[in-house]
Amino acid sequence: MGVLYEIVSTPFAYAERPRLSVDEMFAGAPERIGFGPGRLQHCVIWEPAEAVHEEPVFWFHGGAFLVGTPESMIDAARVWCHEGYRFVSVGFRLVPHDRFPAQVDDAYKGVLATQTWLKDHGLPYEHVIVGGSSAGGQLACLLGYSDKLAKRYGFDRRAVSAVVSCAAIVDADDLELQPIHPLSFWKSFVDLPCRDTKDRAAIHETLLPYSPIALVEGEDGIALPPFFAIQGSSDTLNPYVHQKAFVEALKKQGTEAVLETIDDPRWQHMIGTVTLHRKDPDAFMPLKHLFSWLLGIEAEGRGARQ
């Protein structure tokens, strides 16, 4: 039922009209910041008409690492700029042409390149919010919670003020997307250390360093940024139960974590990830709760830095 619903509902999700349909919340045309030779190795930054918040928002699009562009996040840019945030959509290479974890490599390089651009233009860059939808949410979680990857790329994980998830992949084993494609198809998706693509244990071991819940459960006393998730309880593609478990794992570490649950059977994966930023942020309660929560996080962070 879940997979069939996702297929049938996808056209209707994309057909929903954005509630913020004008671009008056932007200060001007977006800037393009390249960080590699690939077609998608660039970030797009939208400046709000009125910048209220210092922290820029770095957002990673969904699409199972198969589809998507940084420009496709225009709806999200409208919503975040409407709230006064500088919004950066981070591009990354796609599978199967560039196997996972090339996308992780691009996530870090894109954020670092944009932080440098912001610094060079005299704009705030030291503290950031990271977020994403589905597979993009997994990238955001890695920036927020992986010390090992942060050290590899020279990224200061302490710069992350908050992590925002829209039905993010928080258990990397969910990248198998069962039962949408057979396990053998993974030879085109993941850079495996062995060629036996039917070896589930080998795939699990390869993905484990990129599994947010494993990273959080493996930490011991290290400060982790607060987390806010929006997800439908009927989502089975990125299982809601995994998001709930991730939130509980963060709480066990003493980290503030909120799961904004949408109890609507229509709010499964595609409806949720595609339409979230097509809602009115002044009326749609999950977005209102998110931005109210972020105000509190911002105030706490400002107080801690003083």
Side-chain angles (χ1 to χ4, degrees):
M1 171 61 184
V3 174
L4 178 60
Y5 178 83
E6 298 294 355
I7 294 171
V8 172
S9 66
T10 295
F12 295 96
Y14 280 99
E16 180 171 337
R17 294 177 61 85
R19 295 300 184 269
L20 300 178
S21 58
V22 296
D23 294 341
E24 60 187 21
M25 63 283 298
F26 299 144
E31 293 278 353
R32 186 180 187 276
I33 303 163
F35 58 86
R39 179 179 62 88
L40 296 173
Q41 288 180 300
H42 65 274
C43 298
V44 179
I45 179 168
W46 282 271
E47 182 75 18
E50 181 181 0
V52 177
H53 309 280
E54 286 196 357
E55 291 96 335
V57 175
F58 287 86
W59 195 268
F60 302 90
H61 66 78
F65 299 133
L66 278 165
V67 297
T69 68
E71 289 78 10
S72 68
M73 289 292 96
I74 181 65
D75 292 335
R78 290 190 181 107
V79 167
W80 286 90
C81 285
H82 175 271
E83 298 297 319
Y85 289 93
R86 187 170 290 108
F87 184 85
V88 183
S89 179
V90 184
F92 47 85
R93 291 166 289 171
L94 302 174
V95 298
H97 184 271
D98 293 284
R99 297 180 183 180
F100 187 88
Q103 297 70 35
V104 178
D105 188 71
D106 286 352
Y108 280 92
K109 289 181 178 178
V111 171
L112 287 168
T114 304
Q115 283 185 301
T116 298
W117 186 95
L118 291 168
K119 180 181 179 181
D120 290 345
H121 286 76
L123 297 170
Y125 71 95
E126 294 182 293
H127 300 282
V128 304
I129 297 167
V130 296
S133 305
S134 192
Q138 179 185 0
L139 297 177
C141 288
L142 293 178
L143 266 85
Y145 303 116
S146 175
D147 282 311
K148 185 175 181 179
L149 289 172
K151 290 175 182 176
R152 179 190 303 176
Y153 292 101
F155 175 72
D156 187 356
R157 190 179 62 74
R158 296 170 300 177
V160 178
S161 299
V163 180
V164 179
S165 157
C166 175
I169 293 175
V170 293
D171 186 329
D173 286 342
D174 291 335
L175 283 171
E176 293 180 18
L177 295 176
Q178 294 290 334
I180 293 179
H181 67 73
L183 194 61
S184 60
F185 200 43
W186 266 86
K187 64 184 180 181
S188 298
F189 282 74
V190 178
D191 191 9
L192 289 168
C194 67
R195 297 275 64 87
D196 184 3
T197 56
K198 293 184 180 180
D199 187 343
R200 188 178 294 271
I203 294 175
H204 173 76
E205 288 301 315
T206 299
L207 293 174
L208 200 57
Y210 308 100
S211 187
I213 192 166
L215 296 172
V216 167
E217 291 176 340
E219 294 292 359
D220 185 18
I222 299 176
L224 301 173
F227 178 75
F228 193 102
I230 299 175
Q231 187 159 353
S233 58
S234 297
D235 190 338
T236 56
L237 194 59
N238 281 358
Y240 173 79
V241 293
H242 290 179
Q243 192 79 246
K244 188 174 181 180
F246 184 64
V247 167
E248 292 304 315
L250 284 168
K251 288 181 177 179
K252 287 182 181 178
Q253 294 287 347
T255 301
E256 182 175 349
V258 176
L259 176 53
E260 181 79 12
T261 301
I262 301 176
D263 285 318
D264 184 336
R266 298 170 299 176
W267 196 273
Q268 296 185 32
H269 194 70
M270 290 303 297
I271 290 289
T273 55
V274 172
T275 67
L276 175 66
H277 289 111
R278 299 188 176 193
K279 304 296 185 182
D280 183 350
D282 293 327
F284 188 57
M285 294 309 297
L287 286 177
K288 290 189 70 172
H289 292 163
L290 167 62
F291 291 122
S292 175
W293 179 82
L294 282 171
L295 284 175
I297 296 299
E298 183 179 6
E300 290 176 11
R302 190 165 51 244
R305 294 191 290 270
Q306 288 177 349

